[in-house]
Amino acid sequence: MKVQLKFKNKVYENYLIDENGVIYDLNGNIQETYLYGNRPLFKAHGVHKYVVHSFIGYVENKVIHHINENKHDNSLSNLVYMDPGEHMKLHKSGK
């Protein structure tokens, strides 16, 4: 399933994103598949943020955690919002 690409509350009207973090233009051409974009539009933010913001929405004062800790796996099923403190504890504990 593809939805409109979003970051925070900004909608990128000319782009769609799927549940695996692949970004498309409106003609269906793939625009982005990397952890961090190499195109100016996508360079500043990790693809995981676009996935979560587009499918779930932006939640202030939360961080996005990769459940399997593979930062190249930006699939929606691998991403979850966490409190920053919990996230830090999780990574310090080695889990």
Side-chain angles (χ1 to χ4, degrees):
M1 179 172 80
K2 296 176 191 167
V3 298
Q4 196 76 55
L5 181 68
K6 297 178 187 173
F7 179 76
K8 294 193 176 178
N9 295 317
K10 179 174 175 53
V11 175
Y12 293 91
E13 295 179 7
N14 296 321
Y15 296 95
L16 302 172
I17 190 166
D18 70 16
E19 294 151 322
N20 294 311
V22 180
I23 297 171
Y24 303 84
D25 65 20
L26 295 180
N27 294 319
N29 300 311
I30 294 175
Q31 298 296 307
E32 188 56 69
T33 57
Y34 303 106
L35 176 63
Y36 287 95
N38 58 2
R39 297 170 51 97
L41 177 62
F42 310 117
K43 190 169 186 166
H45 314 291
V47 171
H48 65 291
K49 292 180 183 177
Y50 290 109
V51 172
V52 172
H53 295 185
S54 299
F55 282 92
I56 298 172
Y58 172 65
V59 177
E60 204 168 316
N61 300 318
K62 298 283 186 179
V63 297
I64 300 168
H65 173 67
H66 289 81
I67 296 167
N68 68 7
E69 297 194 20
N70 177 353
K71 295 199 182 292
H72 294 282
D73 181 354
N74 293 305
S75 59
L76 182 60
S77 62
N78 186 46
L79 303 171
V80 63
Y81 274 118
M82 293 184 79
D83 291 317
E86 287 178 42
H87 190 243
M88 189 175 275
K89 284 181 194 174
L90 181 67
H91 284 286
K92 282 186 177 183
S93 71
K95 292 184 180 181

